[in-house]
Amino acid sequence: MSAKQKTVQLGPWKKGIVNSKRADALAADELLDALNVDIGDDGSARIRSGKSQTQAVEAAHSLVSAGPKTLICQGGSVGVITSMWPFETTNLRSGLSAARISYAERGGEIWWSNGTESGRCNADNSDHPWTVPAPSNITTVYAGVGTLPPGTYRIAITHTSADGEESHASDIYSYDLASTGSIVVTLPAATAGADDFHVYCTVADGKVLQLYRIVSTATGSVTITAAPTGNELGRRAFLRPLPPGDAICFHGGRLLSLSGEFLYYSDPYDYGLYDPATGVITLGASGSIMASVESGVFVAADRTWFYAGADIAIADPIEKLAFGASSGTVFDHPTTTSPVVGWYSDEGIVFGAADGSVTLPQRDKGFIAPVATSGASWVRQRDGMAHVVISLDGAASYNKQVSTDFTAARIRYDDDATCVCMNLANGATSRYASWYFNSYANFDGDEYGLDSVGLRLLEGSNDDGTAIQAAVDCGL
């Protein structure tokens, strides 16, 4: 008598890896491990896409698609990629440090900063500072012939560029005109990048500085012979350049710059300038990410807050999570009806909704995430499905209490802890090995990752000719 055969159905696995349970406790839709596979919307598993067609680029990082442009930093030079084959860039700035660059787009301009240096790429791929450089302070003023009444006059100057953008003001110079006459202001040598001087002054013994005259930067001096009648200098007298940040983003009408434990924010719609007296928030710990949504902005340091409202200057922080985030991992969720942002944290991927609420889809499904200080995110939409791939820094590790069975499976297949992939529809997690990308971008409709060798096209059935070793472990 022949033994009866028993058919066992495996899958679907809509929960993906559940590494918080022992193998014998896993449900039918849970996996002990899933290496180099993507979990589909239906819970099926298929081998991930490969990488091919390496374009060698040395010492490169901070690849990004921002607005209509793709930027990269290589060998200390940040530039715009204009051709992939052959590889060509338009250089924006050289001599940069090796720090990761953060980018933010507004109105066709790409603003960038690496924590110590900053700039913006205009539509024509030219490099500009965040704000027009201010002139040097006034040092020489003397009396001339005229009809100005005696009294104390206050004087300041600014620079403007050809497009009308204006710098912050020089220090205010106070001059006592002893008798009726005029005031001759010797202008300093112009700062590079400026086109004009704006000269502001008060009336005798007045407090309000108003525009008196606009002159070219070639002008050596201006003689004040009458009361000013132009626009007020106003707050520009107290503004200064917004400090560079390790992370930047736009929110409402301001540019936000996160540097260490300080979050600086620009004056409204004057993105390169801020008020040092009011335009800074102290977080109490070094910040890592910012993510803007319609009703506020998420900010992470040693914990994660939501600053509700369109203007961070008047927002009260609401603590959302008792832990922070991995820098460089912010992404936009592409398939939700209302705007949702995401990032990676010590508890895995976090979704931040437009109303300020947060969810942790990996943790909720029983996945204990590897921990890392920094990383990069790639949102991939193919075959009607959306996944987010998070590449983590080389120090990433599963330093929490994952199951011993998961640890054994990881060692059996590949102990790489530097990359996880999550299906954005069902939250199912898998992990990748040998996927060491520091940043991602699109160019001419193709998707690329950047690693220590260079740019790699993220397509194909193998990894540059090497077969992809994949595994799905049901814990049986």
Side-chain angles (χ1 to χ4, degrees), residues 280-357:
V280 59
I281 296 169
T282 302
L283 302 176
S286 185
S288 54
I289 64 104
M290 298 183 294
S292 173
V293 292
E294 184 176 352
S295 62
V297 60
F298 294 95
V299 179
D302 59 339
R303 51 198 64 232
T304 303
W305 299 274
F306 183 67
Y307 288 79
D311 190 356
I312 196 169
I314 57 175
D316 291 323
I318 304 167
E319 184 177 323
K320 291 295 180 177
L321 299 169
F323 46 87
S326 301
S327 63
T329 60
V330 174
F331 62 92
D332 291 321
H333 195 307
T335 61
T336 54
T337 54
S338 61
V340 172
V341 292
W343 61 88
Y344 192 81
S345 75
D346 285 358
E347 298 290 339
I349 291 169
V350 180
F351 289 150
D355 62 1
S357 61

Side-chain angles (χ1 to χ4, degrees), residues 98 111 128 131 173 219 231 360 380 472:
W111 297 62
H128 296 265
T131 182
Y173 191 102
T219 306
N231 295 332
L360 292 99
R380 184 188 64 217
V472 172

Side-chain angles (χ1 to χ4, degrees), residues 136-330:
S136 300
N137 291 328
I138 298 168
T139 59
T140 304
V141 178
Y142 57 91
V145 177
T147 59
L148 280 180
T152 300
Y153 290 80
R154 303 169 74 220
I155 308 160
I157 54 177
T158 65
H159 271 326
T160 55
S161 59
D163 60 5
E165 201 170 323
E166 190 171 6
S167 73
H168 70 83
S170 66
D171 291 346
I172 296 173
Y173 191 102
S174 184
Y175 181 74
D176 292 324
L177 185 63
S179 59
T180 301
S182 63
I183 298 173
V184 182
V185 180
T186 300
L187 299 175
T191 305
D195 289 272
D196 294 310
F197 283 105
H198 282 213
V199 180
Y200 293 84
C201 66
T202 64
V203 297
D205 301 321
K207 295 183 178 181
V208 178
L209 284 89
Q210 292 178 262
L211 181 63
Y212 175 73
R213 183 170 296 169
I214 301 173
V215 297
S216 77
T217 51
T219 306
S221 64
V222 169
T223 301
I224 300 172
T225 60
T229 58
N231 295 332
E232 294 182 6
L233 179 60
R235 287 176 46 78
R236 195 165 294 276
F238 309 105
L239 301 181
R240 290 297 179 265
L242 184 71
D246 301 304
I248 62 173
C249 77
F250 287 99
H251 179 64
R254 301 182 191 267
L255 176 62
L256 313 186
S257 180
L258 186 59
S259 178
E261 65 174 323
F262 301 108
L263 195 169
Y264 301 97
Y265 53 88
S266 74
D267 229 41
Y269 301 100
D270 210 343
Y271 303 128
L273 297 173
Y274 87 118
D275 187 338
T278 61
V280 59
I281 296 169
T282 302
L283 302 176
S286 185
S288 54
I289 64 104
M290 298 183 294
S292 173
V293 292
E294 184 176 352
S295 62
V297 60
F298 294 95
V299 179
D302 59 339
R303 51 198 64 232
T304 303
W305 299 274
F306 183 67
Y307 288 79
D311 190 356
I312 196 169
I314 57 175
D316 291 323
I318 304 167
E319 184 177 323
K320 291 295 180 177
L321 299 169
F323 46 87
S326 301
S327 63
T329 60
V330 174

Side-chain angles (χ1 to χ4, degrees), residues 349-402:
I349 291 169
V350 180
F351 289 150
D355 62 1
S357 61
V358 295
T359 54
L360 292 99
Q362 290 182 308
R363 189 180 73 174
D364 292 347
K365 280 189 160 40
F367 178 73
I368 298 174
V371 175
T373 302
S374 62
S377 58
W378 172 37
V379 175
R380 184 188 64 217
Q381 292 181 275
R382 294 181 183 175
D383 302 323
M385 293 182 290
H387 294 78
V388 60
V389 178
I390 306 289
S391 298
L392 303 172
D393 61 57
S397 63
Y398 290 92
N399 62 0
K400 295 187 179 181
Q401 193 58 47
V402 297

Side-chain angles (χ1 to χ4, degrees), residues 421-447:
C421 173
M422 191 188 80
N423 182 300
L424 287 171
N426 58 28
T429 296
S430 58
R431 62 189 187 93
Y432 290 178
S434 302
W435 195 265
Y436 308 121
F437 295 108
N438 63 53
S439 46
Y440 299 90
N442 298 329
F443 186 82
D444 278 351
D446 292 321
E447 296 171 299

